[in-house]
Amino acid sequence: MSNTIPERMRSGGAPAMRGIARRAAAAALAVLLVWGQVPAAAWAEVAPAESSSAANAQLQGAHAGSSGEGSGDSSDAANAEQTDDAAGAEQASDAQADEGQQDASETADNNIGAADTNTDAADGNTVSADDTAAGQTEGSKQPAGSAEKGSTAALDDEDQLVVVSVSIYGMSASGDAEEWLAPYEVALDEGQTAEDALVQALEENNIAYDATPSEYGLYFQSITSPFDAGNTLSYDGNNYWQFLVDGASASTGASSVVATEGASYALVFGSTGELPSMVRATFEVYGIDASGNPEVWTTDSLSVEKGTTAAELTERMLDAAGIAYDAEESTYGWYLNSMTSSDGRELAWDEATGAYWQLWVNGAASDAGASSVAVEDGMSIAWYYAAYGAEYPENGVVADPDAEQPDWEGAYGFGQGPTTAETPAGDAEESWVSKIKDVTDWQTNVSDPLVAHGRVYICAGSQLIMMDAATGKELGRATLVEKVDSIARMVMVDGLIIVPVHNGRLQALTADTLSTVWYTDALPAHEQGGDQQALGSLTVEGGYLYFATASASWSSSYNGYLLCVDIKTGDVVWQRESTQSGFYWAGAAVSGSWAVITDDAGIVTVFNRETGETASTLALDAGSRSQVVNGTDAGTFIVVTKDGCLHKIAVDSRTGVAVELGSVKFGSSSTSTPVVAGGKVYVGGASLESYANSWGSTSYYGTIAVIDEASLAIECRIISTEDGYLPAAVQASPLVSQQEGSTYVYFTCNSTPGGVYRYRVGDKQAELIYTPAEGQQNYCMASVVCGSDGTLYYINDSGNLFAIKGTSSPSGDGGDTPEKGPNESDKVPGNTGTVSENGDDGAAGRRPAGAVSPALQPLAASNGDAAASDGETLEGAAADGSDAEEQASASARATSALASDAAAERGLPSWVPVAGIVVGVCGLAAIGIYLAIVRKRS
C-alpha cells in the first residue's frame, strides 16, 4: 500500500480542521459574551456576600445603645435622629435617646423610643433618647435598675412590632394596695403573647417572681415587692395574682392572649378581678444644709390607694427613703415633730428662727393637718423646714435677684461661629477625663459643655457642675429647678450662666458662685405631646434672649413656644405659641429688627424682635432640626433641613419678608447647625452614599461638606478617613478653627468609638485624632467646643467629659488615599461607584475610602428641584433623537455601572461583569473580522 495521502484527503482535511477551530473559537467567545452579559445580581446569587465586622458592630450598637437620648442619648432621647440603620433606637441619649438623628426617609424617627435616646433617634445612626420611660410618669418610684425605655430600645423595625403596657399592683405590708410597676411599655414581635409581655416587664425591671408552667401557660405563684424584699405575695387563701386585660379580668390565661397594639395587661394581687382604685401623687422633703440653705432630702412619686391620707403617704415615703423621723398622734391629728438628715442633723422646732416642718399641698401651705388631707390624683405633698411665711422652694432652689454677678463681658455658647484659638493641628492627646454619670444611668441627661473664663460648665440631671478647665477638678455645683432634657445648650452672657431645663424653663445663675438669680415658669404641656422640652439653642442679642421649645416625641412635634426673655431680670417680654409644630434642636438668628427660626415642619418664620409678631413665613420642602445662622451679608441666613439640603434665605430689612435665594443638597439627611466662615459654609450630616446593611435596609456614612456661601456650589464632601468611611452621621455643629493660613474642622460621628475627627480644608480626607479608652467609647451627638488655649472639650454617651490638647505641629496632609478600598475587616462595605455630580442622592453611588466627592452644583433657586440625575440624562438623550451609536454607548455605560453596583452589593468583584462585557465585545469583533477574511479568501 502506498503511504501517500490521497490528494482529495489533503485538499479537504485542512479546511475541515479550520472549520472546527472556527466553530470552537466562536463557541468560546459566545460563552464569554453570555458570561459578561448575565446580570451581576444573578452571579451574585452564587457568590458569598461579604460582611463587615465594623458595619455590624456599628449597626448592632446603634440599636443596643439607643435606649437612653440619645443623644440623647444620644437617644431621648435619646440618646437620639437617625438614618435607616438606626430605625429602632429613639434614644440614646433622651438618654441621649433618644437623643439620638433623623433618617432621610424619616423611618428612623422611631427611636429614638427610642431615646429620643438618644435618646432621641434618626439622622445618622443613633441614639438618642428622652430620659423618661414611655408610658411611665416621670419621677415615679420604680425599682432600682429598671430599664428606662423598656424593650423598645433594642428593636429596629417598628412596623413589625406590637407595643403594649404592663402594670403590677401588689399590697404593702399593712395590706394597702400598692403600685409595684407603673404602666411600662414593652415591644413584642407580632404573634407574641401577653405572657411574653409580663415576663419581659418583670425581668427588665428586676422584679423577683416565681412562676410554674401549666397547661394554661405560666402560673405566677409569687411576686416580691421591688420596694420591700421581705414582702413576697402568694396565694393566702383569699388573694392571688390575677391577670387583667384592658382593666378587666381575663377569661383565658396570658399565654392564650395574643398581644395587640396598645393593649394594657396587669397582674393584680387580690380577689375581685378588678384594678385597685389608685391615685398618684408626688412627695418632696426640703430640709436645710449645714449652711442653712434649702436642700432636697427626697423627691419621688407613688400611686396609692384612693382614700390614703397625707400622713399615711408621708410615713410610707419616709420609710422607703430611709429618713428617720419622729411623729405622734395628738388631739389635733398626726403631727411631724422632727426629721434627721443623711449626715445626722436632726431638724425640729427651732425657737430662735421659728423654723418647723410645714406641710405644703400643691405648692401652698396647708391649713389642715396631714391626717385630714386625702391624697388626690396629681396632688403634690411636700414637707418644708422653714419659718412661717417662707417662700416655697422649687427643687430646693430659692432665687436671689440681688446676687452679685462677676464682671465678665461677652457671650459664649452653642453656635458662636468660628474660632482662631490654636486647636490641635497635629497630634492630639487626652488632657483629662471626668466621669459625669454612669453609662447605665439612662435617666440622667447630660448637657453640652460650655467653656469660658477658664471654667467648664456642664449639667447632669438637675445639677449644674463647674470645673477647672485645665485640670477637670470640680469647683462647685448647684441645683436646677428642673432636670435638663436630652439636649441642653447653655450660654454665658455678662457673668450669668443661663440653662434651658425641662418644661420649657430657663434658669440664670452667677458664673462664679452658681447662685440662682432668676428662673422662668413652666410652659403649658400639650395634651398629646406632653411637657415642653428645652432642646433648642439660646440666642443672645441686645440684652435679650430668644428661646424656643417643643412638645415632641423622637419623630414628631405637636406644638412649641417662642419666647423673648430679659436677661437681667428673667421677665418674659413676649411669648408666642406655634400650634402646628415645635422647635426641635432649633434656634433663632437675628439681623436688625428681625429674627428668623425654622420649626419641625420646615416653616421659616420671621418675627419682630420687640413684639414677637410674625412678619412672614416661608415653607421649605422638609422640616428642620438645627439652628438658623447668619450669612456674611446682612439680612441673609443659612438654614439646614432634615433632608440634607442647605438653604440660603434673604429677609427684607424693611418688611421682614423672606425669600429663598437657593439651596443645595449635600447629604441624605442632616440635623447639623452650620458654621459660616470666610465665605464658606461648613456643615455635617449623613452622606449621599449608602450601603445595604445586614437588616436589608439602607445605611449611610457621615459627611462634612464645605459649601461656597455665594454660589452654593459644594467645594468638597468628606466621607472617609485613611481607615475607611466615616461610620455614621455628623449630627452636631462642627468646630471651625482658622489658624496660620489653614482651616481645621473638628466634629464627631454618632457611632462608636465616639471620638474626635478633624478635617483640614484641602486634604483628601479627615482623620480620627482622638479615640476614648475602651470603657469610655459610645455614641456621640455632641458638638466639640474649645477653650481660649485651643483645648477641645466634648461628651459622648458614655457619660464622660473629655479634654483633648495638641501635642505637635500639623501632621501632613491629613492622610493619603488608602491603597485598597474597604474590606470586611476594617471598613464599612459599599459600592465604589461614582457620585452624581449634581448631588441627587438617588443617583449617587458610594465612593472609595479617601475620595473627595466632586463639587456639587446648587439646586434651582426658584423651586429647589434637583438637576437631572445621570439616569435621567441618559433617557433624555435618547428622547432627543441622539443617534443609535450614542444611545447604545450610553446604555452600555449605564448597564455596566448597574452591574458593577449590584455585584459589589452582593460581594462579587465589580470587574467581573465588566471584564465579561469587554471580552465578549472584543470576541464578536474578532469573529466578524475573521469570517470576513475567510470569505474573502474563498
Side-chain angles (χ1 to χ4, degrees):
M1 294 182 61
S2 171
N3 292 325
T4 304
I5 298 175
E7 182 64 28
R8 60 183 178 84
M9 295 182 66
R10 289 199 301 268
S11 63
M17 294 301 294
R18 287 194 297 270
I20 293 172
R22 285 200 300 270
R23 292 186 183 92
L29 291 170
V31 169
L32 289 173
L33 178 61
V34 171
W35 170 59
Q37 296 298 327
V38 172
W43 291 113
E45 292 297 333
V46 297
E50 293 180 0
S51 64
S52 166
S53 58
N56 290 338
Q58 167 202 341
L59 297 172
Q60 293 166 6
H63 300 296
S66 62
S67 62
E69 35 76 276
S71 127
D73 238 332
S74 7
S75 90
D76 290 321
N79 96 174
E81 299 191 286
Q82 310 251 358
T83 49
D84 291 344
D85 61 319
E90 180 181 303
Q91 20 229 297
S93 270
D94 150 2
Q96 289 301 338
D98 121 65
E99 251 97 187
Q101 57 172 305
Q102 179 140 14
D103 180 68
S105 64
E106 302 284 335
T107 59
D109 284 335
N110 309 332
N111 280 331
I112 249 156
D116 264 324
T117 218
N118 155 179
T119 248
D120 290 242
D123 298 334
N125 296 29
T126 230
V127 208
S128 237
D130 291 328
D131 58 290
T132 53
Q136 174 180 325
T137 304
E138 177 186 325
S140 63
K141 184 172 182 178
Q142 292 300 310
S146 62
E148 180 196 5
K149 287 291 182 182
S151 60
T152 57
L155 300 168
D156 64 341
D157 192 351
E158 190 177 47
D159 293 336
Q160 298 178 8
L161 299 180
V162 175
V163 179
V164 301
S165 69
V166 173
S167 304
I168 300 176
Y169 297 94
M171 287 184 180
S172 66
S174 59
D176 297 322
E178 192 172 52
E179 182 184 68
W180 287 5
L181 180 65
Y184 179 80
E185 280 196 354
V186 173
L188 303 172
D189 291 331
E190 289 183 352
Q192 287 190 279
T193 67
E195 181 181 284
D196 297 318
L198 295 173
V199 170
Q200 195 164 316
L202 286 165
E203 293 183 349
E204 288 184 354
N205 289 279
N206 299 320
I207 299 177
Y209 68 96
D210 180 28
T212 56
S214 72
E215 59 181 313
Y216 305 105
L218 282 181
Y219 173 69
F220 290 89
Q221 293 182 323
S222 68
I223 301 178
T224 299
S225 167
F227 313 122
D228 181 1
N231 183 19
T232 298
L233 300 181
S234 60
Y235 177 63
D236 60 7
N238 183 42
N239 300 305
Y240 61 98
W241 285 104
Q242 306 165 86
F243 170 54
L244 281 69
V245 178
D246 294 332
S249 180
S251 58
T252 61
S255 62
S256 300
V257 178
V258 177
T260 57
E261 180 68 27
S264 63
Y265 307 128
L267 287 173
V268 179
F269 190 72
S271 59
T272 64
E274 298 177 352
L275 287 172
S277 180
M278 308 292 288
V279 293
R280 190 170 195 85
T282 60
F283 180 81
E284 300 169 314
V285 174
Y286 295 104
I288 57 174
D289 61 20
S291 301
N293 299 314
E295 69 174 359
V296 179
W297 283 13
T298 186
T299 178
D300 214 331
S301 61
L302 183 69
S303 289
V304 294
E305 195 166 9
K306 191 174 182 180
T308 300
T309 67
E312 293 168 331
L313 176 66
T314 297
E315 291 180 339
R316 185 179 304 179
M317 298 299 281
L318 292 179
D319 288 340
I323 298 176
Y325 65 95
D326 175 52
E328 63 180 344
E329 292 284 349
S330 69
T331 55
Y332 301 101
W334 189 88
Y335 184 79
L336 180 62
N337 292 313
S338 68
M339 276 191 269
T340 303
S341 66
S342 59
D343 59 358
R345 291 176 294 106
E346 183 182 24
L347 300 183
W349 159 252
D350 186 338
E351 187 175 0
T353 63
Y356 64 101
W357 286 106
Q358 305 176 38
L359 174 64
W360 292 66
V361 178
N362 295 331
S366 176
D367 294 329
S371 57
S372 300
V373 176
V375 178
E376 298 177 359
D377 194 47
M379 181 176 281
S380 168
I381 302 294
W383 291 93
Y384 179 30
Y385 186 75
Y388 180 78
E391 180 182 352
Y392 182 70
E394 285 198 67
N395 203 20
V397 175
V398 177
D400 181 7
D402 299 322
E404 185 177 354
Q405 303 172 26
D407 187 19
W408 295 352
E409 296 182 353
Y412 306 84
F414 184 86
Q416 295 297 310
T419 181
T420 56
E422 295 184 359
T423 52
D427 293 336
E429 67 179 8
E430 188 177 282
S431 179
W432 52 262
V433 176
S434 178
K435 184 175 181 179
I436 305 301
K437 70 162 190 173
D438 190 85
V439 67
T440 61
D441 180 7
W442 293 109
Q443 297 193 28
T444 300
N445 293 318
V446 179
S447 72
D448 281 11
L450 170 67
V451 184
H453 295 280
R455 293 167 170 83
V456 179
Y457 302 86
I458 192 165
C459 296
S462 59
Q463 295 287 304
L464 170 62
I465 306 169
M466 178 172 64
M467 310 170 73
D468 186 287
T471 65
K473 178 183 178 181
E474 181 174 323
L475 301 177
R477 64 172 57 208
T479 301
L480 302 173
V481 292
E482 303 260 12
K483 65 180 182 179
V484 294
D485 287 309
S486 57
I487 294 293
R489 298 163 175 167
M490 300 176 283
V491 297
M492 177 189 287
V493 54
D494 298 336
L496 286 179
I497 299 290
I498 302 178
V499 185
V501 296
H502 191 64
N503 280 317
R505 309 178 72 178
L506 297 172
Q507 181 173 347
L509 306 94
T510 58
D512 53 354
T513 63
L514 303 186
S515 299
T516 296
V517 178
W518 54 259
Y519 52 79
T520 60
D521 294 332
L523 295 173
H526 187 273
E527 60 181 7
Q528 185 175 0
D531 295 342
Q532 296 295 324
Q533 299 183 62
L535 301 171
S537 307
L538 309 182
T539 303
V540 174
E541 184 68 27
Y544 296 95
L545 183 145
Y546 301 93
F547 169 57
T549 70
S551 173
S553 65
W554 183 258
S555 59
S556 304
S557 61
Y558 302 93
N559 82 329
Y561 286 87
L562 184 62
L563 299 86
C564 174
V565 177
D566 187 305
I567 293 175
K568 184 177 181 180
T569 64
D571 293 337
V572 176
V573 179
W574 53 257
Q575 175 180 309
R576 300 286 181 267
E577 180 184 6
S578 171
T579 59
Q580 302 301 316
S581 184
F583 304 98
Y584 199 106
W585 297 344
V590 174
S591 179
S593 300
W594 313 107
V596 181
I597 196 170
T598 54
D599 63 21
D600 219 13
I603 304 300
V604 179
T605 300
V606 181
F607 57 91
N608 185 293
R609 287 176 49 204
E610 294 183 357
T611 66
E613 297 297 328
T614 299
S616 66
T617 59
L618 178 68
L620 302 178
D621 293 335
S624 177
R625 288 192 169 185
S626 66
Q627 182 178 358
V628 177
V629 298
N630 293 91
T632 301
D633 297 331
T636 61
F637 303 87
I638 304 298
V639 177
V640 171
T641 47
K642 292 186 285 187
D643 59 352
C645 285
L646 183 140
H647 306 260
K648 187 174 182 180
I649 308 295
V651 173
D652 187 283
S653 61
R654 295 172 294 108
T655 65
V657 174
V659 295
E660 182 175 7
L661 301 179
S663 63
V664 61
K665 189 171 181 66
F666 64 89
S668 60
S669 63
S670 179
T671 58
S672 173
T673 292
V675 175
V676 177
K680 312 296 180 186
V681 182
Y682 303 87
V683 65
S687 66
L688 293 169
E689 299 76 16
S690 64
Y691 64 94
N693 59 38
S694 60
W695 291 280
S697 58
T698 303
S699 295
Y700 299 85
Y701 311 111
T703 190
I704 282 288
V706 181
I707 303 171
D708 182 78
E709 183 188 1
S711 67
L712 295 188
I714 296 183
E715 297 187 353
C716 68
R717 286 190 306 110
I718 302 301
I719 61 174
S720 67
T721 70
E722 63 180 2
D723 296 320
Y725 296 106
L726 296 176
V730 179
Q731 291 189 250
S733 180
L735 170 66
V736 178
S737 173
Q738 297 173 317
Q739 49 180 302
E740 297 183 356
S742 294
T743 299
Y744 299 90
V745 184
Y746 303 86
F747 59 95
T748 59
C749 290
N750 195 18
S751 177
T752 54
V756 176
Y757 296 82
R758 177 182 63 211
Y759 169 62
R760 187 174 70 176
V761 175
D763 286 349
K764 298 177 181 179
Q765 57 192 162
E767 56 183 324
L768 179 62
I769 64 169
Y770 174 71
T771 302
E774 184 174 350
Q776 299 165 350
Q777 298 179 9
N778 215 304
Y779 290 76
C780 183
M781 292 172 56
S783 300
V784 179
V785 298
C786 73
S788 58
D789 64 348
T791 300
L792 307 178
Y793 304 88
Y794 82 106
I795 60 168
N796 65 20
D797 289 356
S798 70
N800 288 284
L801 171 64
F802 303 91
I804 314 301
K805 64 181 181 180
T807 62
S808 63
S809 58
S811 57
D813 63 359
D816 297 327
T817 303
E819 296 180 359
K820 59 180 180 178
N823 58 46
E824 65 179 10
S825 64
D826 59 1
K827 300 179 181 69
V828 180
N831 188 346
T832 56
T834 59
V835 176
S836 167
E837 294 191 3
N838 54 33
D840 180 41
D841 60 339
R846 278 155 287 182
R847 300 186 62 80
V852 179
S853 300
L856 307 188
Q857 296 305 310
L859 308 180
S862 58
N863 55 22
D865 292 336
S869 68
D870 289 342
E872 292 168 342
T873 303
L874 294 176
E875 295 173 3
D880 291 340
S882 303
D883 61 61
E885 181 177 347
E886 290 180 350
Q887 292 184 40
S889 176
S891 178
R893 289 196 303 271
T895 300
S896 176
L898 290 173
S900 298
D901 288 352
E905 191 70 37
R906 299 301 301 271
L908 192 69
S910 59
W911 59 265
V912 174
V914 176
I917 293 173
V918 173
V919 172
V921 171
C922 293
L924 285 178
I927 290 173
I929 295 171
Y930 180 76
L931 292 176
I933 294 173
V934 170
R935 290 194 186 97
K936 185 173 182 180
R937 288 180 178 176
S938 62

